[in-house]
Amino acid sequence: MNKTVIALIIAGFLTSSDVFASNVSVNGHATINGSMLERYEPGLPNYGLTENVDFKQDSFFSLRFNVDGGNGLVAAAEMMARGQDDFDIDMRWFYVGYEASKNTFVSAGKLRLPLFNYSDYLDVGMAFQQNILPQSFYVMPDAYAGASMANHFH
């Protein structure tokens, strides 16, 4: 059975169970993108594109799980299946966090790389859909393993 189907079944079970319904939330998003080259030019980079429309390369599905442990303790994980990887499920990031005070949040695990507003639009694509380049164009990592502390000043 496909890993994506298994993940969706587990997510459905967790959200329908009375035990988990109040503490676990599941969100998801998907992008189905078609791309092609108008004309192939030998010697120029094509980033895996051909003159035929390809919906697999830039399409993906993602699920995010959030768990509220109470008393400021939270956990989150995001799984993603990309077409360019044959829709194999990848754990994009996961962390455990603690709200130390009203303005301070500490977290540890595999975290999203904080790239200002760019991180908010990475993978979602809605803000720049007409300008998106193939994923093979981007070589910068978007996550890191470690810890972070965010302090909001008012």
Side-chain angles (χ1 to χ4, degrees), residues 102-132:
K102 180 179 157 186
N103 296 324
T104 305
F105 185 76
V106 180
S107 57
K110 185 176 179 185
L111 303 163
R112 184 66 154 215
L113 191 62
L115 298 172
F116 305 103
N117 288 338
Y118 180 65
S119 293
D120 294 339
Y121 298 113
L122 203 60
D123 297 325
V124 177
M126 292 306 293
F128 57 93
Q129 194 66 27
Q130 60 276 27
N131 299 345
I132 194 167

Side-chain angles (χ1 to χ4, degrees), residues 73-149:
L73 188 63
V74 297
E78 182 172 291
M79 299 182 305
M80 183 177 288
R82 290 186 178 278
Q84 67 185 18
D85 299 326
D86 291 325
F87 293 104
D88 288 336
I89 295 176
D90 178 35
M91 185 66 75
R92 301 292 290 166
W93 47 266
F94 54 91
Y95 67 86
V96 175
Y98 177 68
E99 189 172 342
S101 71
K102 180 179 157 186
N103 296 324
T104 305
F105 185 76
V106 180
S107 57
K110 185 176 179 185
L111 303 163
R112 184 66 154 215
L113 191 62
L115 298 172
F116 305 103
N117 288 338
Y118 180 65
S119 293
D120 294 339
Y121 298 113
L122 203 60
D123 297 325
V124 177
M126 292 306 293
F128 57 93
Q129 194 66 27
Q130 60 276 27
N131 299 345
I132 194 167
L133 294 171
Q135 288 296 320
S136 58
F137 181 80
Y138 302 101
V139 294
M140 188 170 65
D142 62 355
Y144 68 97
S148 75
M149 182 175 84

Side-chain angles (χ1 to χ4, degrees), residues 52-67:
N52 300 319
V53 176
D54 177 20
F55 285 95
K56 188 175 179 184
Q57 180 172 323
D58 294 324
S59 297
F60 67 87
F61 302 91
S62 179
L63 286 175
R64 178 178 173 160
F65 297 86
N66 295 307
V67 180

